[in-house]
Amino acid sequence: MDKLFDKTKINQMELKNRFVRSATWEGLANPDGSCSEKIADMMLELAKGQVGLIITSHAYVNQYGQGSIRQLGIYDDRLISGYKEMVEKVHKKGSKIVLQITHAGARALAQPTNSEPFGPSSLTIKDIISCREINIIEIFKMTEDFTMAAVRAQKAGFDGVQLHGAHGFLLNQFLSPFFNRREDRYGGSIENRARLILEILQAIRSELGRQFTVLIKLNSDDFIEGGFAPSEMVQVSAMLESAGIDAVELSGGTGLKISKYSSSRVSKSDSKEDEVYYLDAAKLYKRKISVPLILVGGIRSYELAKELVEKELTDYISLCRPLIREPDLIKRWQEGDIKKAKCISCNGCFVPARAGEGIYCVVENQR
Ligand SMILES: Cc1cc2nc3c(=O)[nH]c(=O)nc-3n(C[C@H](O)[C@H](O)[C@H](O)COP(=O)(O)O)c2cc1C
């Protein structure tokens, strides 16, 4: 059997293969952010489809941190019960499930109190972004909110959490010199810009212990002038390694229209060269870091996924859009039909979600 189907362990989490469903906002949460039956059913389909590790869509840790409509939330104890059933369904099928926790920061939707969104620094770029600076008390509160989110995730039965440190959301904003222009201990040097993430990791560890799995999704590059760059990604990964992170998922882009690339690129060709957006970043990472790597972005071919793992360029293969179109893709590959994923990376799946109908593959639906 290919290495892709090795049984492995991340911290205490036993995985049946090396396939990960990368976090995917469904636009199907209940209006208060609680988990809906539709989302639970989608996760069940992924588990039936033999995805080893499912990372949920991003869940906001406090009510100022919501970044998308009908997004999952984990800001209050009353939300815990809604997740339990979903977690149980996934576990019964032998898959593992981790909750992605986030705060949108400067990219937050209209605030519940109509106050301005905040980022690490006040920043106004017409038609792109407008936010005030988060103050030090709010930074301390943020660490508490992320920690409480992790505590709730554990209570709901999740196998761990993933800190969302990518795609231009708050934790990425702190890392990025484009967003973070602070002059205190949370800005300036890379050690200072990484401080909030490291404090959150440490606080979660103090609350839940070393055995609770904590992953992070990091940008390898913001693809923005003056943004977070690959060399800094390696530095931050080294800091996270020393602080005891369990795995790093590499991605890129900020969601702002001034980023050269978005995290979900629209494909221009069908060639193998267009797959694996962050191959160079993975090589950089692997040279210096021994924490398991989860690689996302454009991976569509079985043979390529196999090669990436065999050449030890990554430990895990993470997929988002291919599993919207084919939730049973991993099962299909495991059963020997190793044709490329049907996803054509058109981003049509965002359209119904933004219209309030939830994600689905519009191409598949037209057939
Ligand atoms: C509909 C949709 C929703 C997404 N939601 C999230 C999310 O909640 N959290 C996250 O980290 N990334 C999110 N992403 C980005 C994906 O996880 C992934 O990084 C990106 O799509 C590249 O992988 P792919 O080429 O396999 O699709 C989303 C992407 C899509 C298309």
Side-chain angles (χ1 to χ4, degrees):
M1 184 67 82
D2 289 344
K3 274 189 93 174
L4 285 168
F5 292 95
D6 282 352
K7 289 186 178 40
T8 61
K9 242 175 139 182
I10 297 181
N11 196 345
Q12 304 301 304
M13 187 168 66
E14 290 182 10
L15 299 170
K16 63 180 168 187
N17 58 45
R18 294 180 184 270
F19 288 102
V20 176
R21 193 297 287 255
S22 199
T24 308
W25 161 69
E26 306 88 359
L28 286 169
N30 296 319
D32 66 350
S34 56
C35 183
S36 63
E37 214 174 309
K38 276 193 179 163
I39 295 184
D41 287 344
M42 280 176 128
M43 299 309 108
L44 175 62
E45 285 312 303
L46 290 167
K48 282 186 189 163
Q50 299 304 315
V51 174
L53 172 62
I54 298 168
I55 302 176
T56 68
S57 51
H58 59 166
Y60 49 98
V61 300
N62 68 42
Q63 283 177 295
Y64 299 93
Q66 184 174 354
S68 322
I69 57 158
R70 305 282 306 272
Q71 185 189 341
L72 286 175
I74 188 72
Y75 57 86
D76 193 280
D77 284 353
R78 74 179 158 74
L79 299 165
I80 296 171
S81 61
Y83 287 108
K84 280 190 174 161
E85 202 182 324
M86 172 173 87
V87 170
E88 270 168 32
K89 281 182 180 176
V90 167
H91 284 165
K92 273 191 188 142
K93 295 289 167 201
S95 298
K96 296 294 191 294
I97 183 161
V98 155
L99 184 72
Q100 188 183 57
I101 56 177
T102 190
H103 191 291
R107 294 190 56 204
L109 295 181
Q111 303 291 299
T113 57
N114 285 329
S115 61
E116 219 188 329
F118 52 69
S121 305
S122 110
L123 194 60
T124 305
I125 306 174
K126 197 171 174 283
D127 298 330
I128 307 273
I129 202 147
S130 172
C131 62
R132 69 167 173 89
E133 179 173 301
I134 185 175
N135 67 41
I136 205 84
I137 306 289
E138 289 167 326
I139 292 183
F140 295 153
K141 176 78 172 52
M142 194 59 68
T143 301
E144 269 176 44
D145 290 342
F146 269 92
T147 308
M148 283 314 297
V151 169
R152 291 183 191 111
Q154 191 201 42
K155 286 186 179 156
F158 282 103
D159 299 286
V161 290
Q162 184 185 56
L163 306 177
H164 194 348
H167 306 171
F169 294 111
L170 187 73
L171 300 183
N172 176 209
Q173 290 163 20
F174 264 86
L175 289 176
S176 171
F178 172 80
F179 293 96
N180 185 347
R181 300 162 188 206
R182 300 179 75 90
E183 291 177 357
D184 63 3
R185 50 203 292 277
Y186 291 94
S189 67
I190 187 63
E191 287 77 13
N192 283 356
R193 282 180 276 130
R195 190 178 304 280
L196 174 61
I197 291 179
L198 290 163
E199 285 178 351
I200 290 172
L201 176 59
Q202 198 175 27
I204 294 175
R205 289 268 178 251
S206 325
E207 203 59 45
L208 297 176
R210 185 62 193 86
Q211 314 250 339
F212 186 69
T213 299
V214 185
L215 318 176
I216 190 162
K217 191 168 186 176
L218 272 187
N219 265 3
S220 51
D221 198 322
D222 287 347
F223 300 114
I224 227 170
E225 220 182 300
F228 187 66
S231 57
E232 292 189 320
M233 171 278 288
V234 178
Q235 285 177 278
V236 172
S237 300
M239 293 177 212
L240 287 162
E241 177 165 32
S242 305
I245 199 79
D246 292 311
V248 174
E249 180 175 16
L250 281 188
S251 186
T254 66
L256 303 190
K257 56 187 176 194
I258 45 173
S259 271
K260 186 173 170 209
Y261 297 112
S262 87
S263 61
S264 310
R265 299 184 196 176
V266 175
S267 205
K268 293 194 186 69
S269 83
D270 202 23
S271 82
K272 217 172 148 183
E273 282 63 47
D274 271 11
E275 297 194 35
V276 206
Y277 307 154
Y278 312 112
L279 184 58
D280 290 342
K283 287 179 184 166
L284 275 181
Y285 178 98
K286 279 291 188 185
R287 241 176 258 152
K288 290 265 160 71
I289 312 292
S290 29
V291 168
L293 175 62
I294 301 173
L295 192 59
V296 73
I299 304 168
R300 302 290 179 264
S301 310
Y302 182 86
E303 291 298 340
L304 193 61
K306 185 174 152 189
E307 194 181 312
L308 288 169
V309 169
E310 276 171 1
K311 289 190 173 162
E312 298 183 359
L313 292 166
T314 187
D315 302 282
Y316 295 91
I317 300 291
S318 189
L319 307 164
C320 164
R321 289 166 291 173
L323 294 170
I324 298 175
R325 182 153 186 184
E326 295 176 89
D328 62 348
L329 175 65
I330 309 308
K331 184 164 177 276
R332 162 158 89 72
W333 280 348
Q334 188 169 19
E335 287 171 354
D337 177 359
I338 57 165
K339 279 195 299 290
K340 192 175 176 178
K342 288 187 198 162
C343 172
I344 55 165
S345 308
C346 67
N347 280 355
C349 42
F350 278 111
V351 178
R354 288 186 181 131
E357 294 168 35
I359 46 160
Y360 58 83
C361 175
V362 292
V363 177
E364 188 71 19
N365 248 53
Q366 275 165 3
R367 285 146 39 92

